[in-house]
Amino acid sequence: MQKEDTLPYDVFDVFTPSQPAKLSFIDRETINSGLVNALRTPGKQIVVYGHSGSGKTTLLSNKLYQTYEGHITSQCMKGMSFEQLVIDAFDQLAPYYEEQKSTKESATSKASLAATYKSIKLALEASHTSEYSKNEKRALPPQLTPQSLGRLLGSSKKCWVIEDFHKIDETEKQKLSQLLKVFMDLAPEHRLLKIICLGAVDTARQVVAYDEEMRRRVAEIHVPLMSDQEIYQIVNKGEELLNIRFPSALRSKVAKHACGVASICHQLCLNMCIDANVIGKQGSPKALSDKNFDRAVEMYIEDASDSLRGAFDKALKQRNKTKFDSSRLIIEALAFAHERGLARLKLLSRIQENSPSYTDAILKIHIKKLLEAEYGSILRHDSDSGLYSFKDPFYRAYAQTIIHTENNDHAEPLSTSAMTSHILVHLRENLIIIEHEEHRQPSR
Ligand SMILES: Nc1ncnc2c1ncn2[C@@H]1O[C@H](COP(=O)(O)OP(=O)(O)OP(=O)(O)O)[C@@H](O)[C@H]1O
Ligand SMILES: [Mg+2]
């Protein structure tokens, strides 16, 4: 049992839509054991990949807590260079080496590492002062080699977590691959030296471009979206911790709206509790109602409407003059397809019903863009089934809303409250269709 369980907690500690779950963390056994084995194997470097919101950060933070004394985390952003990443890691080692200075470690290797640390720090400070006025980026001092970073990190017994590595440019990614090699070779000296790269993509190779010979020394951990059973487990944990009850019809509605994305499950449960005035653990069991659920969905849409609008604006923005408005054609075809989505060729034939000269070559290029942040990341691609679908049911209902309003010639853009009620209507309709299909096909 984690120590937090014994501390006082409230609903915001139980349902955590925007931070890693602790109290309501559920073990996903096969993925967990793969990750824990890789964390314990000296020299093994790790790539954790999977859709945004699938639970990569949560899984890692819960497992690191069990296997490592500490870790440092670097957050990648588009345009960031490899050198900046290395400097960021070095900066985060400061507390460890500065404290060491005051305890006056006498062992020679530690003393020499402390000296290395100091000389790099001085070199960084010097480059900072001279470069500052021209360019705020600090240059990588020659002393800060992959080997020296590896030794400094290794003897601090911390591992290095690099979040969102998929955002880094390809050329920079190759440099990290070289660094991984150096870290692997330092394993006999530093058993715990390890880099863990996380990326919200379909394959491990999209996160880090390493070569074939390194493959068996890199653990590729795929974190899939959650199954309905896993979503139910989160709901169960919440029930137990807060002494509340979600009737079975509500649980299945939560699972359907979440569509494998745990943060939606956390947000809907949190909203229901807030609506029912459940803040702490209840003295006697309290059941949540359909009314709480409806209000929770409404609150969800009200909160998300700006980001939905923003995402679709990015997707639909016409960047240059082309024969086809691909974003619009894809959105229209997917909005009224099955909620699980469509394979590319099926999507193509739907588009060609109205635009016969549209080609697969155009679709292939454009559909990938709609997975990227620059185009609002409105779609997801499931590499197992090959299906493209909207990121979650709220994106789908939003797409239906914009098509519906355009078809009805609304001259003015919809107000937020009108938009919310349109999305709600589409969500409800979609849910009825899913339930109807399940009823017809009980074996699915
Ligand atoms: N194993 C789990 N048990 C309970 N809740 C979880 C679990 N994994 C994830 N969650 C919840 O799901 C949400 C998303 O998780 P997380 O941030 O870890 O995903 P991610 O894959 O790192 O997403 P991103 O790629 O966007 O960074 C959070 O609300 C978190 O609390
Ligand atoms: Mg994350």
Side-chain angles (χ1 to χ4, degrees):
M1 185 181 269
Q2 296 191 1
K3 64 176 183 281
E4 287 84 348
D5 290 2
T6 55
L7 295 173
Y9 58 81
D10 63 22
V11 67
F12 299 99
D13 304 307
V14 174
F15 294 121
T16 51
S18 32
Q19 64 186 53
K22 280 192 184 140
L23 294 180
S24 59
F25 174 72
I26 55 144
D27 256 321
R28 304 172 76 186
E29 260 169 40
T30 46
I31 320 168
N32 287 357
S33 58
L35 178 61
V36 170
N37 289 340
L39 282 169
R40 292 201 171 124
T41 310
K44 191 72 114 183
Q45 309 302 308
I46 305 178
V47 175
V48 182
Y49 68 100
H51 282 292
S52 175
S54 63
K56 301 176 291 296
T57 305
T58 304
L59 183 63
L60 189 64
S61 61
N62 278 278
K63 295 299 142 188
L64 278 178
Y65 175 83
Q66 295 166 9
T67 47
Y68 265 79
E69 274 178 33
H71 62 274
I72 57 168
T73 303
S74 300
Q75 187 73 46
C76 297
M77 278 162 296
K78 210 171 160 49
M80 196 167 176
S81 69
F82 174 75
E83 283 73 19
Q84 282 173 277
L85 255 183
V86 169
I87 293 174
D88 183 58
F90 176 80
D91 283 346
Q92 291 188 56
L93 289 171
Y96 180 81
Y97 285 96
E98 315 257 306
E99 267 165 37
Q100 279 225 326
K101 199 170 56 182
S102 61
T103 57
K104 293 203 173 62
E105 283 282 350
S106 56
T108 4
S109 69
K110 289 216 168 145
S112 94
L113 270 174
T116 310
Y117 171 80
K118 208 170 167 189
S119 77
I120 296 173
K121 197 174 171 220
L122 286 173
L124 264 172
E125 278 166 4
S127 86
H128 193 221
T129 343
S130 60
E131 299 270 314
Y132 192 72
S133 51
K134 288 178 275 162
N135 181 0
E136 289 209 20
K137 283 180 192 161
R138 291 175 293 169
L140 192 67
Q143 300 95 317
L144 188 45
T145 59
Q147 281 79 3
S148 58
L149 179 68
R151 294 206 166 92
L152 289 168
L153 204 60
S155 76
S156 76
K157 298 201 167 46
K158 293 182 200 303
C159 63
W160 184 15
V161 178
I162 308 183
E163 282 266 8
D164 288 343
F165 194 68
H166 61 285
K167 292 185 179 163
I168 297 282
D169 290 344
E170 283 309 312
T171 48
E172 302 301 297
K173 279 187 181 173
Q174 276 159 21
K175 299 183 193 164
L176 186 89
S177 167
Q178 296 309 312
L179 187 72
L180 286 183
K181 222 176 229 169
V182 171
F183 276 32
M184 287 168 184
D185 295 339
L186 283 172
E189 232 176 287
H190 298 289
R191 287 175 58 81
L192 292 170
L193 183 58
K194 204 175 285 295
I195 293 184
I196 306 158
C197 276
L198 284 86
V201 280
D202 253 358
T203 67
R205 293 296 184 90
Q206 285 171 279
V207 187
V208 188
Y210 41 86
D211 48 41
E212 203 52 46
E213 59 173 289
M214 285 164 72
R215 200 157 184 188
R216 67 195 161 76
R217 298 166 78 187
V218 177
E220 301 178 349
I221 312 280
H222 179 218
V223 182
L225 288 166
M226 286 191 177
S227 65
D228 284 358
Q229 290 312 318
E230 287 169 331
I231 296 282
Y232 292 149
Q233 284 179 41
I234 298 177
V235 177
N236 291 349
K237 286 227 167 169
E239 282 189 330
E240 212 175 292
L241 287 158
L242 295 165
N243 196 20
I244 52 176
R245 297 289 165 261
F246 294 97
S248 64
L250 276 197
R251 291 158 169 271
S252 80
K253 280 198 213 173
V254 169
K256 287 194 175 99
H257 282 72
C259 217
V261 184
S263 59
I264 300 182
C265 165
H266 280 270
Q267 188 71 64
L268 289 176
C269 292
L270 179 63
N271 291 358
M272 274 192 266
C273 289
I274 292 171
D275 188 54
N277 229 350
V278 172
I279 301 302
K281 185 166 184 168
Q282 303 296 287
S284 53
K286 176 163 183 162
L288 292 140
S289 67
D290 276 337
K291 196 183 119 298
N292 299 136
F293 181 80
D294 290 345
R295 185 61 202 128
V297 175
E298 229 172 287
M299 285 156 79
Y300 186 99
I301 299 171
E302 279 160 11
D303 280 351
S305 66
D306 280 350
S307 55
L308 284 169
R309 201 190 293 261
F312 276 83
D313 283 351
K314 281 186 191 165
L316 288 164
K317 183 174 156 196
Q318 282 263 295
R319 285 151 176 94
N320 30 40
K321 269 216 154 323
T322 46
K323 185 172 171 200
F324 295 104
D325 185 352
S326 285
S327 291
R328 188 166 297 276
L329 294 175
I330 295 171
I331 290 171
E332 279 174 2
L334 276 179
F336 297 103
H338 192 283
E339 52 119 29
R340 276 179 310 206
L342 292 173
R344 198 185 74 237
L345 292 179
K346 190 91 187 141
L347 179 59
L348 177 67
S349 61
R350 292 272 176 109
I351 295 175
Q352 286 174 336
E353 284 169 18
N354 291 323
S355 311
S357 56
Y358 194 75
T359 65
D360 187 35
I362 311 176
L363 177 61
K364 213 168 169 175
I365 295 172
H366 201 87
I367 200 154
K368 284 209 185 102
K369 293 184 182 162
L370 295 176
L371 304 171
E372 291 165 12
E374 199 192 331
Y375 282 73
S377 307
I378 60 163
L379 299 189
R380 64 158 97 142
H381 177 242
D382 179 43
S383 46
D384 293 332
S385 63
L387 299 182
Y388 287 92
S389 60
F390 284 103
K391 193 175 188 174
D392 65 46
F394 295 90
Y395 278 75
R396 182 162 181 256
Y398 187 90
Q400 293 166 338
T401 302
I402 40 181
I403 294 167
H404 178 91
T405 43
E406 280 174 5
N407 290 349
N408 286 292
D409 274 343
H410 280 271
E412 297 288 313
L414 289 182
S415 68
T416 302
S417 65
M419 182 66 89
T420 304
S421 46
H422 275 280
I423 299 174
L424 260 175
V425 169
H426 287 295
L427 263 178
R428 285 200 189 114
E429 280 171 5
N430 295 341
L431 204 64
I432 293 168
I433 295 170
I434 299 170
E435 277 164 0
H436 182 66
E437 280 178 2
E438 280 176 354
H439 188 64
R440 280 195 324 185
Q441 295 174 298
S443 57
R444 187 163 73 85

